[in-house]
Amino acid sequence: MIVHRARFDPKLGLTGLGTAARMFRAPDPGQEVTLCEEDGMVRFFSVSPPSGAAELRRSLNRAEAALSTAQADLARRDDALAALTERLDRLEAQVRSAPPPAKRTRRPPADDT
C-alpha cells in the first residue's frame, strides 16, 4: 500500500455522500491512501486505485528480489569454484612433487624355438 500525506484543507469539505462513504472503507492491497493531516493528526483519508507509480514500485521490488537471488547464486558458485581451484592446485602440487616414474626397459621378444 502506498501512503501519501497532504495538508488538511477545511475548504474542501465533504463534497457529497460518496466522499463520506469512501472515507470509512478499508483500503485493499495495492490501493493508494492519502492522509490529510492537521497539526500532526489525521483529519480524514481518501483511497484511490493503484497508480502507475505503485506498479512501478512493485516491479522494482520484484527486480530487487530477483537480483538478490541471482547474487546469492553467484556467491555460491564463486565459493564452489574457489574450492575446486584450491583442490586442483593441491593435486598439481602433488603431481609435481611425486618422483618421476621408473624408466621401463624393453624386454627382447621371447624365443619360441
Side-chain angles (χ1 to χ4, degrees):
M1 176 181 306
I2 295 178
V3 177
H4 302 282
R5 297 186 184 281
R7 295 184 125 212
F8 175 68
D9 187 354
K11 289 183 254 170
L12 294 177
L14 296 177
T15 58
L17 192 54
T19 303
R22 284 195 308 267
M23 283 178 49
F24 297 107
R25 72 177 202 181
D28 294 323
Q31 289 185 312
E32 296 186 19
V33 176
T34 300
L35 303 177
C36 294
E37 300 175 331
E38 180 181 46
D39 297 326
M41 293 184 59
V42 175
R43 295 297 183 170
F44 70 90
F45 68 92
S46 64
V47 178
S48 58
S51 68
E55 182 55 38
L56 205 55
R57 170 54 62 190
R58 283 191 292 278
S59 293
L60 180 61
N61 288 342
R62 285 190 298 269
E64 286 173 337
L67 177 61
S68 178
T69 299
Q71 287 173 327
D73 288 344
L74 285 174
R76 282 192 295 275
R77 289 180 186 176
D78 285 347
D79 291 344
L81 182 59
L84 287 172
T85 301
E86 184 178 320
R87 183 176 176 199
L88 179 61
D89 290 344
R90 281 195 315 267
L91 289 172
E92 286 176 338
Q94 286 176 356
V95 168
R96 280 192 301 273
S97 65
K103 209 172 194 183
R104 291 185 155 200
T105 57
R106 284 185 97 177
R107 290 187 196 177
D111 192 16
D112 290 338
T113 55

XYZ file of all heavy atoms in Angstrom:
861
model
N 0.850 -1.165 0.000
C 0.000 0.000 0.000
C 0.898 1.230 0.000
O 1.891 1.277 0.707
C -0.896 -0.021 1.239
C -1.751 1.193 1.373
S -2.776 1.175 2.857
C -3.598 -0.365 2.705
N 0.553 2.187 -0.793
C 1.299 3.444 -0.845
C 0.508 4.495 -0.091
O -0.702 4.623 -0.276
C 1.531 3.879 -2.302
C 2.436 2.858 -2.996
C 2.145 5.254 -2.361
C 2.701 3.160 -4.432
N 1.200 5.224 0.790
C 0.541 6.258 1.589
C 1.114 7.618 1.201
O 2.320 7.799 1.160
C 0.749 6.010 3.102
C 0.129 7.126 3.918
C 0.181 4.661 3.498
N 0.228 8.524 0.879
C 0.612 9.911 0.588
C 0.153 10.773 1.762
O -0.785 10.434 2.464
C -0.081 10.415 -0.690
C 0.215 9.594 -1.888
N 1.378 9.682 -2.592
C -0.519 8.633 -2.514
C 1.351 8.844 -3.600
N 0.215 8.181 -3.571
N 0.795 11.887 1.954
C 0.391 12.818 3.004
C 0.006 14.138 2.359
O 0.622 14.565 1.394
C 1.520 13.028 4.000
C 1.905 11.762 4.727
C 2.928 12.051 5.813
N 3.376 10.856 6.464
C 2.712 10.204 7.404
N 1.555 10.653 7.812
N 3.196 9.115 7.943
N -1.022 14.757 2.889
C -1.478 16.058 2.394
C -1.905 16.896 3.583
O -2.241 16.375 4.643
C -2.645 15.874 1.424
N -1.900 18.212 3.392
C -2.370 19.096 4.465
C -3.892 19.123 4.442
O -4.517 19.117 3.392
C -1.838 20.507 4.250
C -0.335 20.559 4.358
C 0.154 21.953 4.240
N 0.950 22.183 5.434
C 1.073 23.333 6.034
N 0.492 24.397 5.570
N 1.803 23.448 7.104
N -4.447 19.173 5.610
C -5.894 19.259 5.734
C -6.353 20.635 5.260
O -5.801 21.654 5.647
C -6.285 19.032 7.200
C -7.748 19.212 7.458
C -8.668 18.335 6.939
C -8.193 20.269 8.228
C -10.020 18.490 7.186
C -9.542 20.443 8.484
C -10.453 19.543 7.965
N -7.335 20.642 4.379
C -7.887 21.894 3.869
C -9.385 21.883 4.163
O -10.160 21.245 3.473
C -7.641 22.017 2.366
C -8.050 23.380 1.829
O -8.629 24.186 2.592
O -7.799 23.623 0.643
N -9.824 22.603 5.215
C -11.247 22.577 5.589
C -12.139 23.155 4.497
O -13.326 22.862 4.452
C -11.308 23.398 6.868
C -10.058 24.189 6.915
C -9.049 23.458 6.082
N -11.596 23.938 3.566
C -12.417 24.498 2.493
C -12.920 23.414 1.556
O -13.968 23.557 0.944
C -11.624 25.529 1.690
C -11.360 26.813 2.463
C -10.639 27.791 1.589
C -9.203 27.829 2.080
N -8.291 28.540 1.250
N -12.146 22.316 1.462
C -12.571 21.247 0.554
C -13.812 20.555 1.095
O -14.733 20.256 0.345
C -11.443 20.238 0.365
C -10.200 20.756 -0.350
C -9.139 19.661 -0.401
C -10.544 21.223 -1.749
N -13.832 20.279 2.369
C -15.002 19.672 2.990
C -15.436 18.389 2.306
O -14.739 17.832 1.477
N -16.582 17.924 2.681
C -17.155 16.733 2.060
C -18.012 17.185 0.899
O -18.932 17.966 1.065
C -17.991 15.945 3.070
C -17.211 15.377 4.256
C -18.187 14.679 5.202
C -16.156 14.419 3.794
N -17.733 16.669 -0.259
C -18.476 17.086 -1.447
C -19.670 16.196 -1.727
O -20.265 16.287 -2.779
C -17.550 17.098 -2.675
O -17.001 15.790 -2.838
C -16.450 18.124 -2.521
N -20.003 15.352 -0.827
C -21.187 14.533 -1.048
C -21.113 13.237 -0.269
O -20.141 12.929 0.414
N -22.182 12.491 -0.385
C -22.289 11.228 0.328
C -21.235 10.227 -0.149
O -20.709 9.454 0.644
C -23.696 10.653 0.116
C -24.089 9.482 0.997
C -23.900 9.829 2.464
C -25.526 9.094 0.716
N -20.892 10.239 -1.436
C -19.879 9.329 -1.977
C -18.535 9.534 -1.319
O -17.828 8.584 -0.989
N -18.174 10.791 -1.101
C -16.894 11.088 -0.451
C -16.906 10.587 0.977
O -15.931 9.997 1.440
C -16.619 12.602 -0.475
O -16.645 13.041 -1.823
C -15.274 12.930 0.137
N -17.999 10.785 1.683
C -18.102 10.325 3.064
C -18.020 8.810 3.133
O -17.365 8.259 4.023
C -19.407 10.823 3.677
N -18.644 8.133 2.197
C -18.606 6.665 2.203
C -17.187 6.159 1.948
O -16.755 5.186 2.558
C -19.559 6.115 1.151
N -16.431 6.825 1.059
C -15.056 6.402 0.767
C -14.141 6.625 1.964
O -13.129 5.954 2.105
C -14.518 7.162 -0.448
C -15.074 6.657 -1.758
C -14.264 7.168 -2.930
N -14.063 8.608 -2.934
C -14.827 9.493 -3.564
N -15.882 9.091 -4.233
N -14.556 10.773 -3.517
N -14.465 7.556 2.821
C -13.614 7.852 3.968
C -13.580 6.709 4.966
O -12.612 6.538 5.679
C -14.105 9.116 4.687
C -13.739 10.385 3.975
S -14.386 11.837 4.805
C -13.901 11.603 6.484
N -14.630 5.896 5.041
C -14.725 4.889 6.091
C -14.470 3.473 5.594
O -14.645 2.534 6.336
C -16.097 4.985 6.771
C -16.297 6.304 7.448
C -17.154 7.248 6.904
C -15.591 6.630 8.591
C -17.321 8.471 7.502
C -15.762 7.861 9.201
C -16.630 8.792 8.656
N -14.063 3.326 4.368
C -13.805 1.974 3.894
C -12.340 1.600 4.133
O -11.474 2.458 4.237
C -14.164 1.831 2.429
C -13.211 2.518 1.513
C -13.597 2.275 0.101
N -12.402 2.501 -0.715
C -12.369 2.394 -1.981
N -13.440 2.058 -2.633
N -11.262 2.601 -2.646
N -12.102 0.312 4.226
C -10.736 -0.182 4.427
C -10.069 -0.319 3.063
O -10.654 -0.879 2.146
C -10.769 -1.527 5.136
N -8.886 0.192 2.910
C -8.196 0.086 1.622
C -7.785 -1.357 1.323
O -7.455 -2.120 2.228
C -6.976 0.976 1.778
C -6.810 1.183 3.229
C -8.124 0.946 3.883
N -7.830 -1.721 0.062
C -7.403 -3.037 -0.383
C -5.907 -3.004 -0.692
O -5.345 -1.937 -0.960
C -8.173 -3.453 -1.641
C -9.662 -3.646 -1.367
O -9.990 -4.144 -0.271
O -10.477 -3.313 -2.245
N -5.245 -4.165 -0.684
C -3.824 -4.195 -1.025
C -3.594 -3.587 -2.409
O -4.344 -3.845 -3.342
C -3.477 -5.690 -1.025
C -4.507 -6.303 -0.131
C -5.757 -5.483 -0.330
N -2.583 -2.766 -2.510
C -2.237 -2.140 -3.781
C -2.856 -0.775 -3.984
O -2.425 -0.013 -4.843
N -3.891 -0.449 -3.225
C -4.521 0.862 -3.377
C -3.666 1.924 -2.695
O -2.816 1.627 -1.858
C -5.927 0.858 -2.777
C -6.898 0.041 -3.601
C -8.297 0.160 -3.059
O -8.514 0.024 -1.864
N -9.244 0.391 -3.951
N -3.897 3.154 -3.079
C -3.154 4.272 -2.506
C -4.040 5.029 -1.531
O -5.232 5.209 -1.776
C -2.665 5.198 -3.614
C -1.671 4.515 -4.531
C -1.058 5.438 -5.536
O -1.098 6.671 -5.340
O -0.517 4.926 -6.529
N -3.452 5.439 -0.433
C -4.172 6.158 0.616
C -3.535 7.535 0.766
O -2.317 7.658 0.821
C -4.102 5.395 1.956
C -4.763 6.186 3.069
C -4.733 4.022 1.819
N -4.352 8.559 0.813
C -3.861 9.909 1.082
C -4.363 10.317 2.452
O -5.571 10.328 2.699
C -4.354 10.910 0.020
O -3.883 10.489 -1.262
C -3.827 12.310 0.305
N -3.447 10.608 3.361
C -3.796 11.048 4.709
C -3.784 12.573 4.731
O -2.779 13.194 4.409
C -2.779 10.515 5.725
C -2.585 9.004 5.786
C -1.490 8.665 6.787
C -3.882 8.303 6.135
N -4.885 13.165 5.103
C -4.968 14.625 5.220
C -4.779 14.970 6.692
O -5.586 14.604 7.543
C -6.300 15.136 4.693
S -6.463 14.856 2.925
N -3.680 15.670 6.965
C -3.282 15.920 8.342
C -3.380 17.401 8.692
O -3.217 18.271 7.841
C -1.838 15.471 8.554
C -1.598 14.003 8.296
C -0.131 13.631 8.398
O 0.734 14.483 8.129
O 0.129 12.484 8.749
N -3.608 17.628 9.977
C -3.576 18.982 10.523
C -2.970 18.883 11.906
O -3.454 18.110 12.744
C -4.991 19.575 10.591
C -5.001 20.987 11.149
C -6.412 21.546 11.235
O -7.305 20.828 11.713
O -6.594 22.692 10.827
N -1.902 19.606 12.142
C -1.199 19.600 13.424
C -0.819 18.185 13.861
O -0.975 17.810 15.018
C -2.046 20.277 14.518
C -2.303 21.740 14.205
O -1.398 22.371 13.608
O -3.396 22.231 14.549
N -0.364 17.377 12.911
C 0.096 16.024 13.224
C -1.004 15.006 13.413
O -0.731 13.857 13.728
N -2.254 15.408 13.223
C -3.382 14.478 13.377
C -4.032 14.267 12.016
O -4.196 15.206 11.238
C -4.411 15.030 14.363
C -3.885 15.113 15.769
S -5.147 15.667 16.941
C -6.382 14.430 16.758
N -4.404 13.036 11.755
C -5.098 12.722 10.507
C -6.553 13.135 10.675
O -7.247 12.662 11.570
C -4.990 11.216 10.174
C -5.811 10.873 8.943
C -3.538 10.821 9.976
N -7.001 14.042 9.808
C -8.389 14.512 9.852
C -9.290 13.618 9.012
O -10.418 13.354 9.375
C -8.491 15.956 9.364
C -7.792 16.932 10.237
C -8.444 16.926 11.579
N -7.832 17.931 12.433
C -8.319 18.284 13.584
N -9.409 17.728 14.035
N -7.707 19.182 14.302
N -8.796 13.188 7.866
C -9.506 12.213 7.046
C -8.525 11.627 6.048
O -7.389 12.067 5.933
C -10.732 12.831 6.346
C -10.411 13.807 5.255
C -10.250 13.382 3.940
C -10.291 15.167 5.534
C -9.961 14.290 2.943
C -10.013 16.075 4.535
C -9.840 15.634 3.231
N -8.959 10.570 5.388
C -8.115 9.977 4.368
C -8.975 9.606 3.176
O -10.192 9.474 3.283
C -7.357 8.747 4.900
C -8.233 7.565 5.203
C -8.461 6.592 4.236
C -8.806 7.411 6.452
C -9.252 5.497 4.521
C -9.609 6.324 6.745
C -9.835 5.351 5.777
N -8.319 9.476 2.044
C -9.035 9.019 0.855
C -8.272 7.838 0.269
O -7.070 7.698 0.450
C -9.155 10.151 -0.173
O -7.878 10.539 -0.627
N -9.006 6.984 -0.413
C -8.442 5.785 -1.012
C -8.639 5.877 -2.511
O -9.710 6.255 -2.986
C -9.148 4.520 -0.461
C -8.598 3.265 -1.108
C -8.996 4.461 1.053
N -7.598 5.554 -3.251
C -7.705 5.579 -4.710
C -7.068 4.318 -5.284
O -6.268 3.660 -4.620
C -7.033 6.831 -5.271
O -5.680 6.883 -4.873
N -7.430 3.984 -6.516
C -6.842 2.788 -7.127
C -5.336 2.979 -7.319
O -4.836 4.100 -7.307
C -7.550 2.658 -8.467
C -8.328 3.900 -8.661
C -8.377 4.646 -7.379
N -4.613 1.890 -7.519
C -3.161 1.994 -7.692
C -2.812 2.850 -8.906
O -3.471 2.784 -9.929
C -2.699 0.555 -7.911
C -3.862 -0.316 -7.644
C -5.079 0.524 -7.610
N -1.785 3.637 -8.768
C -1.309 4.454 -9.879
C -0.161 3.734 -10.572
O 0.275 2.681 -10.139
C -0.821 5.812 -9.364
O 0.354 5.626 -8.598
N 0.338 4.320 -11.612
C 1.491 3.751 -12.297
C 2.695 3.666 -11.382
O 3.509 2.758 -11.486
N 2.803 4.602 -10.453
C 3.930 4.599 -9.516
C 3.885 3.354 -8.628
O 4.926 2.768 -8.323
C 3.913 5.856 -8.663
N 2.684 2.942 -8.240
C 2.560 1.758 -7.390
C 3.006 0.515 -8.155
O 3.727 -0.333 -7.611
C 1.122 1.596 -6.914
N 2.604 0.398 -9.398
C 3.013 -0.753 -10.211
C 4.513 -0.726 -10.444
O 5.178 -1.758 -10.418
C 2.260 -0.777 -11.543
C 2.598 -1.972 -12.402
C 2.404 -3.311 -11.709
O 1.441 -3.464 -10.937
O 3.229 -4.214 -11.943
N 5.049 0.467 -10.659
C 6.493 0.615 -10.840
C 7.232 0.164 -9.584
O 8.252 -0.535 -9.670
C 6.811 2.080 -11.150
C 8.072 2.375 -11.910
C 8.129 1.609 -13.212
C 8.156 3.865 -12.193
N 6.732 0.512 -8.416
C 7.340 0.114 -7.140
C 7.293 -1.405 -6.992
O 8.271 -2.031 -6.602
C 6.608 0.809 -5.986
C 6.960 0.320 -4.601
C 8.403 0.321 -4.222
N 9.003 1.620 -4.214
C 10.315 1.813 -4.094
N 11.140 0.799 -3.976
N 10.806 3.014 -4.091
N 6.153 -2.027 -7.328
C 6.055 -3.486 -7.235
C 7.038 -4.150 -8.201
O 7.694 -5.128 -7.853
C 4.624 -3.947 -7.504
C 3.689 -3.724 -6.326
C 2.355 -4.414 -6.518
N 1.564 -3.824 -7.573
C 0.803 -2.740 -7.449
N 0.732 -2.136 -6.280
N 0.106 -2.270 -8.457
N 7.145 -3.605 -9.416
C 8.099 -4.157 -10.394
C 9.523 -4.022 -9.879
O 10.334 -4.941 -10.019
C 7.965 -3.433 -11.730
O 6.729 -3.703 -12.325
N 9.833 -2.881 -9.297
C 11.166 -2.662 -8.738
C 11.440 -3.648 -7.604
O 12.529 -4.224 -7.522
C 11.311 -1.221 -8.245
C 12.651 -0.853 -7.634
C 13.782 -1.023 -8.642
C 12.618 0.568 -7.118
N 10.454 -3.873 -6.744
C 10.626 -4.826 -5.641
C 10.876 -6.233 -6.175
O 11.724 -6.964 -5.644
C 9.405 -4.814 -4.723
C 9.323 -3.555 -3.885
O 10.301 -2.840 -3.715
N 8.143 -3.267 -3.375
N 10.126 -6.626 -7.224
C 10.343 -7.958 -7.818
C 11.741 -8.047 -8.429
O 12.425 -9.057 -8.284
C 9.275 -8.253 -8.872
C 7.909 -8.590 -8.292
C 6.960 -9.110 -9.356
N 6.690 -8.146 -10.404
C 5.691 -7.274 -10.404
N 4.845 -7.247 -9.382
N 5.518 -6.447 -11.406
N 12.177 -6.985 -9.110
C 13.506 -6.984 -9.719
C 14.599 -7.045 -8.651
O 15.595 -7.757 -8.814
C 13.685 -5.744 -10.597
N 14.407 -6.325 -7.546
C 15.387 -6.365 -6.457
C 15.461 -7.761 -5.848
O 16.547 -8.242 -5.518
C 15.042 -5.331 -5.385
C 15.340 -3.904 -5.807
C 14.845 -2.866 -4.806
O 13.918 -3.159 -4.014
O 15.386 -1.746 -4.828
N 14.316 -8.419 -5.698
C 14.305 -9.784 -5.153
C 15.014 -10.745 -6.108
O 15.801 -11.599 -5.669
C 12.867 -10.243 -4.907
N 14.762 -10.604 -7.407
C 15.426 -11.465 -8.390
C 16.929 -11.211 -8.391
O 17.727 -12.156 -8.488
C 14.835 -11.222 -9.780
N 17.331 -9.950 -8.276
C 18.756 -9.612 -8.231
C 19.405 -10.214 -6.988
O 20.507 -10.777 -7.061
C 18.938 -8.097 -8.244
C 20.379 -7.594 -8.124
C 21.226 -8.085 -9.292
C 20.393 -6.076 -8.047
N 18.734 -10.136 -5.863
C 19.268 -10.692 -4.621
C 19.451 -12.203 -4.748
O 20.475 -12.754 -4.327
C 18.324 -10.354 -3.471
O 18.791 -10.914 -2.277
N 18.479 -12.877 -5.361
C 18.573 -14.323 -5.567
C 19.739 -14.651 -6.494
O 20.518 -15.570 -6.229
C 17.258 -14.865 -6.161
O 16.200 -14.594 -5.239
C 17.327 -16.352 -6.412
N 19.873 -13.887 -7.572
C 20.963 -14.118 -8.519
C 22.320 -13.884 -7.859
O 23.271 -14.643 -8.084
C 20.802 -13.219 -9.743
N 22.419 -12.854 -7.019
C 23.683 -12.578 -6.326
C 24.030 -13.716 -5.364
O 25.191 -14.107 -5.253
C 23.607 -11.248 -5.586
C 23.657 -10.056 -6.514
C 23.408 -8.741 -5.794
O 22.657 -8.670 -4.826
N 24.040 -7.686 -6.289
N 23.027 -14.266 -4.684
C 23.273 -15.383 -3.774
C 23.732 -16.611 -4.563
O 24.652 -17.319 -4.141
C 22.010 -15.699 -2.964
N 23.105 -16.866 -5.723
C 23.523 -17.984 -6.571
C 24.961 -17.799 -7.040
O 25.758 -18.746 -7.026
C 22.605 -18.122 -7.785
C 21.226 -18.647 -7.430
O 21.058 -19.182 -6.313
O 20.318 -18.518 -8.278
N 25.299 -16.591 -7.461
C 26.670 -16.324 -7.908
C 27.674 -16.501 -6.767
O 28.776 -17.016 -6.977
C 26.771 -14.913 -8.491
C 26.162 -14.738 -9.875
C 26.183 -13.263 -10.278
C 26.900 -15.575 -10.904
N 27.303 -16.077 -5.579
C 28.202 -16.232 -4.428
C 28.451 -17.718 -4.147
O 29.593 -18.123 -3.879
C 27.617 -15.546 -3.198
N 27.392 -18.543 -4.241
C 27.566 -19.993 -4.032
C 28.471 -20.580 -5.117
O 29.339 -21.397 -4.838
C 26.217 -20.696 -4.023
C 25.458 -20.553 -2.720
C 24.261 -21.494 -2.647
N 23.252 -21.170 -3.635
C 22.286 -20.265 -3.488
N 22.218 -19.582 -2.356
N 21.404 -20.046 -4.432
N 28.278 -20.155 -6.355
C 29.118 -20.654 -7.451
C 30.563 -20.195 -7.280
O 31.489 -20.958 -7.556
C 28.561 -20.187 -8.790
C 27.279 -20.892 -9.145
C 26.732 -20.431 -10.465
N 25.422 -21.027 -10.692
C 24.676 -20.751 -11.727
N 25.064 -19.893 -12.637
N 23.501 -21.338 -11.868
N 30.747 -18.955 -6.837
C 32.105 -18.467 -6.578
C 32.788 -19.315 -5.516
O 33.969 -19.657 -5.653
C 32.085 -16.998 -6.137
C 31.821 -16.035 -7.275
O 31.882 -16.454 -8.452
O 31.550 -14.852 -6.984
N 32.055 -19.653 -4.456
C 32.619 -20.489 -3.392
C 32.979 -21.875 -3.925
O 34.054 -22.410 -3.614
C 31.636 -20.619 -2.224
C 31.442 -19.310 -1.467
O 32.273 -18.389 -1.634
O 30.446 -19.208 -0.714
N 32.090 -22.455 -4.727
C 32.358 -23.780 -5.292
C 33.561 -23.732 -6.233
O 34.421 -24.622 -6.214
C 31.122 -24.299 -6.030
N 33.648 -22.687 -7.042
C 34.783 -22.532 -7.957
C 36.087 -22.359 -7.180
O 37.117 -22.944 -7.538
C 34.553 -21.347 -8.889
C 35.623 -21.087 -9.936
C 35.801 -22.292 -10.850
C 35.275 -19.854 -10.751
N 36.056 -21.587 -6.113
C 37.259 -21.394 -5.292
C 37.699 -22.723 -4.680
O 38.903 -23.036 -4.647
C 36.998 -20.353 -4.204
N 36.742 -23.526 -4.203
C 37.077 -24.830 -3.613
C 37.679 -25.752 -4.669
O 38.671 -26.460 -4.409
C 35.839 -25.463 -2.984
N 37.122 -25.757 -5.877
C 37.654 -26.600 -6.943
C 39.051 -26.138 -7.372
O 39.929 -26.963 -7.632
C 36.704 -26.596 -8.145
C 35.410 -27.387 -7.960
C 34.472 -27.143 -9.135
C 35.704 -28.876 -7.811
N 39.248 -24.835 -7.445
C 40.560 -24.298 -7.811
C 41.600 -24.688 -6.768
O 42.719 -25.090 -7.113
C 40.481 -22.764 -7.958
O 39.518 -22.449 -8.959
C 41.817 -22.170 -8.332
N 41.237 -24.592 -5.506
C 42.156 -24.971 -4.427
C 42.496 -26.456 -4.521
O 43.659 -26.856 -4.393
C 41.505 -24.661 -3.073
C 42.402 -24.932 -1.890
C 41.716 -24.564 -0.579
O 41.024 -23.544 -0.525
O 41.898 -25.334 0.383
N 41.503 -27.282 -4.793
C 41.728 -28.732 -4.926
C 42.640 -29.023 -6.115
O 43.562 -29.833 -6.012
C 40.391 -29.437 -5.081
C 40.507 -30.919 -5.144
C 39.160 -31.587 -5.192
N 39.321 -33.015 -5.344
C 38.382 -33.814 -5.768
N 37.191 -33.331 -6.069
N 38.600 -35.099 -5.886
N 42.405 -28.361 -7.229
C 43.233 -28.548 -8.418
C 44.679 -28.132 -8.141
O 45.620 -28.833 -8.531
C 42.673 -27.739 -9.595
C 43.433 -27.817 -10.904
C 43.478 -29.259 -11.417
C 42.804 -26.910 -11.934
N 44.862 -27.014 -7.433
C 46.212 -26.568 -7.080
C 46.927 -27.611 -6.220
O 48.124 -27.890 -6.419
C 46.171 -25.225 -6.347
C 45.766 -24.065 -7.251
O 45.810 -24.228 -8.492
O 45.390 -22.999 -6.711
N 46.225 -28.204 -5.246
C 46.821 -29.239 -4.390
C 47.218 -30.461 -5.216
O 48.304 -31.025 -5.053
C 45.858 -29.632 -3.278
C 45.797 -28.665 -2.122
C 45.120 -29.266 -0.887
N 43.899 -29.989 -1.178
C 42.672 -29.449 -1.149
N 42.521 -28.172 -0.847
N 41.610 -30.181 -1.418
N 46.334 -30.879 -6.128
C 46.630 -32.045 -6.961
C 47.822 -31.780 -7.878
O 48.691 -32.650 -8.053
C 45.403 -32.438 -7.784
C 44.248 -33.058 -6.994
C 43.025 -33.226 -7.887
C 44.669 -34.392 -6.400
N 47.898 -30.597 -8.451
C 49.038 -30.253 -9.304
C 50.324 -30.249 -8.500
O 51.369 -30.711 -8.978
C 48.821 -28.893 -9.969
C 47.797 -28.923 -11.082
C 47.516 -27.544 -11.670
O 47.774 -26.516 -11.001
O 47.000 -27.502 -12.801
N 50.276 -29.755 -7.272
C 51.466 -29.749 -6.414
C 51.895 -31.180 -6.092
O 53.100 -31.496 -6.090
C 51.204 -28.967 -5.139
N 50.942 -32.063 -5.863
C 51.273 -33.465 -5.583
C 51.921 -34.113 -6.799
O 52.898 -34.863 -6.670
C 50.005 -34.243 -5.198
C 49.494 -33.943 -3.823
C 48.183 -34.672 -3.534
O 47.627 -35.335 -4.402
N 47.693 -34.522 -2.319
N 51.400 -33.829 -7.979
C 51.972 -34.408 -9.200
C 53.389 -33.891 -9.405
O 54.302 -34.648 -9.756
C 51.067 -34.091 -10.423
C 51.777 -34.412 -11.727
C 49.764 -34.846 -10.321
N 53.618 -32.599 -9.190
C 54.958 -32.026 -9.366
C 55.958 -32.596 -8.363
O 57.132 -32.768 -8.664
C 54.907 -30.507 -9.236
C 54.437 -29.801 -10.493
C 54.688 -28.296 -10.425
N 54.024 -27.641 -9.309
C 52.772 -27.175 -9.336
N 52.058 -27.293 -10.422
N 52.251 -26.603 -8.281
N 55.498 -32.877 -7.149
C 56.421 -33.357 -6.119
C 56.576 -34.883 -6.132
O 57.441 -35.408 -5.437
C 55.958 -32.899 -4.739
O 54.725 -33.507 -4.417
N 55.795 -35.579 -6.915
C 55.908 -37.039 -6.978
C 57.185 -37.406 -7.732
O 57.602 -36.709 -8.654
C 54.691 -37.625 -7.686
N 57.815 -38.515 -7.334
C 59.029 -38.922 -8.045
C 58.660 -39.314 -9.480
O 57.555 -39.779 -9.739
C 59.531 -40.124 -7.242
C 58.366 -40.600 -6.455
C 57.465 -39.421 -6.270
N 59.608 -39.123 -10.371
C 59.307 -39.496 -11.756
C 59.097 -40.999 -11.851
O 59.650 -41.760 -11.056
C 60.547 -39.040 -12.528
C 61.614 -38.866 -11.520
C 60.949 -38.616 -10.207
N 58.308 -41.425 -12.798
C 58.075 -42.871 -12.921
C 59.377 -43.588 -13.285
O 60.258 -43.026 -13.932
C 57.036 -42.971 -14.037
C 57.100 -41.680 -14.771
C 57.629 -40.662 -13.802
N 59.474 -44.806 -12.832
C 60.673 -45.597 -13.131
C 60.757 -45.806 -14.634
O 59.745 -46.005 -15.311
C 60.611 -46.933 -12.407
N 61.993 -45.816 -15.140
C 62.202 -45.993 -16.562
C 61.984 -47.455 -16.901
O 62.532 -48.334 -16.256
C 63.613 -45.560 -16.932
C 63.727 -45.052 -18.303
C 65.104 -44.471 -18.512
C 65.106 -43.657 -19.764
N 66.391 -43.127 -20.064
N 61.204 -47.723 -17.893
C 60.946 -49.094 -18.308
C 61.958 -49.485 -19.371
O 62.254 -48.700 -20.261
C 59.547 -49.228 -18.880
C 58.485 -49.075 -17.847
C 57.157 -49.336 -18.484
N 56.221 -49.770 -17.477
C 55.120 -50.414 -17.725
N 54.799 -50.714 -18.959
N 54.318 -50.771 -16.754
N 62.411 -50.637 -19.245
C 63.294 -51.160 -20.293
C 62.514 -52.155 -21.115
O 61.686 -52.905 -20.598
C 64.532 -51.839 -19.684
O 64.100 -52.863 -18.809
C 65.398 -50.839 -18.949
N 62.803 -52.189 -22.371
C 62.114 -53.145 -23.249
C 62.778 -54.505 -23.125
O 63.992 -54.611 -23.157
C 62.206 -52.691 -24.694
C 61.253 -51.552 -24.981
C 61.307 -51.245 -26.416
N 60.193 -51.925 -27.073
C 59.919 -51.821 -28.341
N 60.692 -51.105 -29.119
N 58.898 -52.427 -28.872
N 61.979 -55.456 -23.016
C 62.499 -56.834 -22.988
C 62.561 -57.347 -24.429
O 61.660 -57.053 -25.222
C 61.579 -57.741 -22.202
C 61.589 -57.449 -20.743
C 60.793 -58.512 -20.051
N 60.467 -58.072 -18.712
C 59.732 -58.762 -17.897
N 59.199 -59.890 -18.278
N 59.492 -58.319 -16.689
N 63.538 -58.101 -24.691
C 63.573 -58.702 -26.032
C 62.423 -59.695 -26.150
O 61.977 -60.270 -25.166
C 64.932 -59.381 -26.112
C 65.416 -59.480 -24.711
C 64.697 -58.458 -23.911
N 61.914 -59.899 -27.354
C 60.831 -60.871 -27.513
C 61.275 -62.269 -27.077
O 62.436 -62.651 -27.209
C 60.499 -60.816 -28.987
C 61.549 -60.011 -29.650
C 62.343 -59.334 -28.581
N 60.337 -62.974 -26.562
C 60.626 -64.343 -26.082
C 60.946 -65.225 -27.283
O 60.330 -65.129 -28.331
C 59.435 -64.879 -25.338
N 61.925 -66.104 -27.098
C 62.332 -67.019 -28.151
C 61.482 -68.271 -28.047
O 61.518 -68.973 -27.052
C 63.813 -67.331 -27.992
C 64.361 -68.039 -29.194
O 63.697 -68.024 -30.246
O 65.470 -68.587 -29.067
N 60.717 -68.576 -29.072
C 59.801 -69.731 -29.024
C 60.421 -70.974 -29.679
O 59.735 -71.894 -30.052
C 58.504 -69.384 -29.747
C 57.692 -68.347 -28.964
O 57.898 -68.237 -27.769
O 56.860 -67.656 -29.583
N 61.612 -71.034 -29.880
C 62.211 -72.191 -30.543
C 62.585 -73.295 -29.629
O 62.533 -73.501 -28.555
C 63.506 -71.797 -31.305
O 64.363 -71.172 -30.437
C 63.149 -71.119 -32.528
